Amino acid sequence: MDIETDGRFGNKRMHTRLGLGSGGGPSSTNGRVCNFWREGRCNRSPCPFLHSELPEAAAPPKRPSGPGGNVWRNPNAGGRGGGRGHSRWGRGPGGASAAVTHRPPDRPCKYFLAGTCNYGDRCRYPHSYCISDSITMLTLLKGHDKSVTGIALPTGWSDKLYSGSKDGTVRMWDCQTGQVWNMQTSAEMNLTGPTGQVYALAVASELLFAATQDGRILAWRFSAATNCFEPAASLDGHKLAVVSLIVGGMRLYSASMDKTIRVWDLATLQCVQTLSDHTDVVMSLLCWDQFLLSCSLDQTIKVWAATESGNLEVTYTHKEEQGALALSGMPDAQSKPVLLCSLNDNTVRLYDLPSFSDRGRIFSKQEIRAIQMGPGGLFFTGDGTGELKVWQWVDGAQT
């Protein structure tokens, strides 16, 4: 037996017999691969651990296990040296023990997002605002000083992009050059009726709806005689602020901080159904095909469909790890429907519909509350810092 004279097992003398002692390589105290080097963030110089993969002869010895041979063991689950590292170990084919290299980063460099990374091309983490093979960022538009709250791209009569912000301005962007003009909001048209903040607007036929802070939905009807909007109705029912409105078919859908969604008949302006399946604020609504989609701070996206009675019921619930803030949808480069959902971890998730297959993520310095679709595979996002980004779907990214 190849045992040291003092009878000890598993210490540095056993490592010497594996070629890791004096004369055969680094000492036993540094015979392991540096976990932080694997993650690309070791800043020790010199480092007591290896900055290279273990050679095959120096791989960790097989550990006995129960019936069935070797089993997976997570070194971070406890024991000596398991608390700090982030490397993942598994068992290779045939039960052989092998070191598994770390996964490719699933997030861009956080210092790049903050504008403070000094590593440049040498950084081990991507310097990109997205991780996806389906989209690419065309340009970043800077001009607002505070959160972008709305984006509009009138089609058919204008080549300008408009963005509104909490900085009190509306900016007009030239879609050909990216040049911006500042439009102060002092010259604004006031609609009589709203008290407090207006969180959302929707248009249906000749009606304009405004979601208000006090829970009412105010409606105005356009008058050709006066060439302006005149008060038409007040849709009452929500107990707290209404934060999202959308029109689909002959229905107006409203989402509220009272955790409910109300369905309004556009012909009578009466509430015909109240949906109460969410357990937190319902932040955004989207009509897609014959379905209604809703997202909430309860970390879910719900898909609603009409039953034979005409009422809406939940047919699918998709769970997120964070609260969901805003929904939008558009076709990709192959005309397949894609859902975009922004979360309160400063990301936007992209999903195929109806499968909810992952298509990638968009990252930002702060929360993204404004998402606007455009022509030709373009879309736009605005975040809490005031940055506006222009994106485009990539041809042939997914089949």
Side-chain angles (χ1 to χ4, degrees):
M1 294 180 62
D2 192 11
I3 303 175
E4 297 296 331
T5 55
D6 58 2
R8 289 178 289 173
F9 293 84
N11 60 6
K12 66 180 181 179
R13 302 198 177 195
M14 179 64 75
H15 282 294
T16 299
R17 294 293 186 261
L18 294 174
L20 297 178
S22 58
S27 66
S28 63
T29 59
N30 59 8
R32 291 180 298 170
V33 176
C34 174
N35 292 326
F36 298 98
W37 174 83
R38 288 179 184 275
E39 299 294 332
R41 57 192 183 90
C42 180
N43 56 12
R44 296 183 180 182
S45 182
C47 179
F49 300 102
L50 293 176
H51 279 203
S52 62
E53 297 296 339
L54 284 172
E56 182 178 357
K62 295 181 180 180
R63 295 177 180 268
S65 64
N70 293 321
V71 296
W72 179 86
R73 176 179 178 270
N74 183 357
N76 298 325
R80 293 185 60 186
R84 296 179 57 194
H86 296 281
S87 61
R88 295 168 175 82
W89 292 85
R91 300 294 179 183
S97 177
V100 180
T101 58
H102 67 280
R103 296 181 303 171
D106 59 359
R107 292 184 66 91
C109 171
K110 64 180 180 180
Y111 300 103
F112 162 76
L113 294 178
T116 60
C117 183
N118 297 322
Y119 286 95
D121 294 338
R122 296 181 292 110
C123 184
R124 288 184 173 271
Y125 290 84
H127 279 200
S128 172
Y129 287 103
C130 74
I131 293 182
S132 173
D133 60 359
S134 301
I135 60 173
T136 182
M137 193 184 85
L138 296 182
T139 188
L140 188 155
L141 304 175
K142 294 185 177 181
H144 288 297
D145 297 326
K146 294 183 180 180
S147 176
V148 176
T149 55
I151 306 170
L153 183 68
T155 57
W157 57 271
S158 174
D159 61 352
K160 302 296 188 292
L161 174 71
Y162 299 85
S163 58
S165 168
K166 287 185 178 180
D167 62 12
T169 68
V170 175
R171 293 186 179 271
M172 181 175 66
W173 307 83
D174 189 308
C175 293
Q176 304 299 322
T177 65
Q179 187 176 358
V180 58
W181 293 268
N182 184 16
M183 302 164 59
Q184 297 293 337
T185 58
S186 57
E188 61 184 12
M189 181 182 71
N190 291 317
L191 295 171
T192 58
T195 56
Q197 295 186 23
V198 174
Y199 289 119
L201 295 172
V203 176
S205 186
E206 296 181 347
L207 290 170
L208 171 66
F209 298 95
T212 65
Q213 186 178 8
D214 63 8
R216 293 182 298 159
I217 303 170
L218 301 179
W220 294 268
R221 192 181 304 275
F222 182 78
S223 171
T226 61
N227 196 34
C228 65
F229 284 95
E230 297 179 352
S234 175
L235 284 59
D236 302 326
H238 284 295
K239 298 178 181 179
L240 297 174
V242 179
V243 295
S244 181
L245 294 174
I246 195 166
V247 173
M250 286 300 296
R251 295 288 189 266
L252 171 71
Y253 303 94
S254 58
S256 171
M257 295 181 69
D258 65 12
K259 308 176 187 179
T260 69
I261 301 168
R262 285 184 174 261
V263 185
W264 309 84
D265 188 302
L266 287 177
T268 64
L269 298 183
Q270 298 297 312
C271 180
V272 296
Q273 189 181 1
T274 301
L275 311 177
S276 305
D277 289 48
H278 282 292
T279 60
D280 208 329
V281 176
V282 185
M283 294 295 296
S284 184
L285 301 170
L286 177 68
C287 288
W288 173 67
D289 201 2
Q290 73 270 30
F291 302 100
L292 174 72
L293 282 71
S294 60
C295 71
S296 167
L297 295 182
D298 65 10
Q299 303 180 4
T300 67
I301 302 171
K302 293 186 181 294
V303 181
W304 309 77
T307 62
E308 293 183 358
S309 66
N311 288 333
L312 293 174
E313 291 185 358
V314 174
T315 62
Y316 179 72
T317 297
H318 176 80
K319 295 184 179 180
E320 294 284 359
E321 296 179 354
Q322 305 288 335
L325 304 176
L327 293 176
S328 191
M330 70 176 300
D332 66 5
Q334 291 78 38
S335 299
K336 298 178 181 178
V338 178
L339 175 69
L340 289 79
C341 179
S342 67
L343 305 180
N344 58 11
D345 63 353
N346 305 342
T347 68
V348 175
R349 309 295 173 94
L350 284 67
Y351 297 111
D352 276 323
L353 289 179
S355 65
F356 273 85
S357 299
D358 187 11
R359 292 290 295 272
R361 299 182 187 182
I362 292 173
F363 299 84
S364 184
K365 296 177 182 177
Q366 294 185 20
E367 292 177 352
I368 294 175
R369 293 294 187 96
I371 308 174
Q372 174 64 41
M373 303 301 105
L378 294 175
F379 66 97
F380 311 87
T381 59
D383 66 22
T385 68
E387 290 185 348
L388 187 68
K389 297 183 180 70
V390 184
W391 305 87
Q392 186 169 40
W393 287 98
V394 178
D395 288 335
Q398 182 159 320
T399 58

